[in-house]
Amino acid sequence: MALLLAACALLGGAAAPVRLSARVGPPVSGDATLLGAGPLLLVVDPPTLSAYDVAAPYRAPRWRVAVPPAAGWSAEAAGDVLLFTERDQVRQAVATTARSMRTGAALWRRPERVYAVGEAAVAVSEVRSAAEPGARTAPGGGDRLPAVAWPAARAPRG
């Protein structure tokens, strides 16, 4: 036992002290939510969404915008578009807003979850079966789910 204590003392004392930079990230309140999307570190501190450069989060934000209240959020990058999704108390998607990654400007909004697929965005409409929990059926019956795909930077049709 004494040998083990001596080895730990010798090895522990040999390491050089580590110095951490005071510039580690943006200021974050206790109620804020942190999200990552492509080159952005997002801080949602209602009613504000702030976007920081992930490579230098200690700098001033790239942009700040107001966001509607929600119980939670998620974000994905689709090319140069940020897909920012608002969620309710049970984490279901309420709406997705497409925003410019560069400026934060709103490009379009859909009342559902929109997924990033490369540089495109895809929205799938579905109805969950009450008879078979977890099963998904197409609206009106059938086995095909309608999907809408479009370049993320353009507003979707329909």
Side-chain angles (χ1 to χ4, degrees), residues 26-131:
V28 178
S29 75
D31 295 332
T33 301
L34 292 175
L35 303 168
L40 299 180
L41 173 63
L42 304 168
V43 178
V44 188
D45 196 359
T48 304
L49 167 63
S50 303
Y52 294 84
D53 183 354
V54 77
Y58 50 85
R59 293 188 180 148
R62 285 187 186 187
W63 46 263
R64 278 194 172 111
V65 296
V67 293
W73 300 269
S74 61
E76 288 184 274
D80 60 351
V81 173
L82 171 68
L83 298 175
F84 186 71
T85 303
E86 301 151 31
R87 298 187 174 277
D88 63 17
Q89 293 289 345
V90 292
R91 305 282 303 149
Q92 296 296 312
V94 173
T96 301
T97 303
R99 296 188 171 278
S100 165
M101 292 278 261
R102 192 174 48 78
T103 67
L107 304 172
W108 49 260
R109 183 175 170 85
R110 285 189 64 100
E112 61 202 355
R113 174 77 163 94
V114 178
Y115 298 89
V117 181
E119 294 197 11
V122 175
V124 178
S125 297
E126 63 180 308
V127 177
R128 298 226 177 223
S129 168

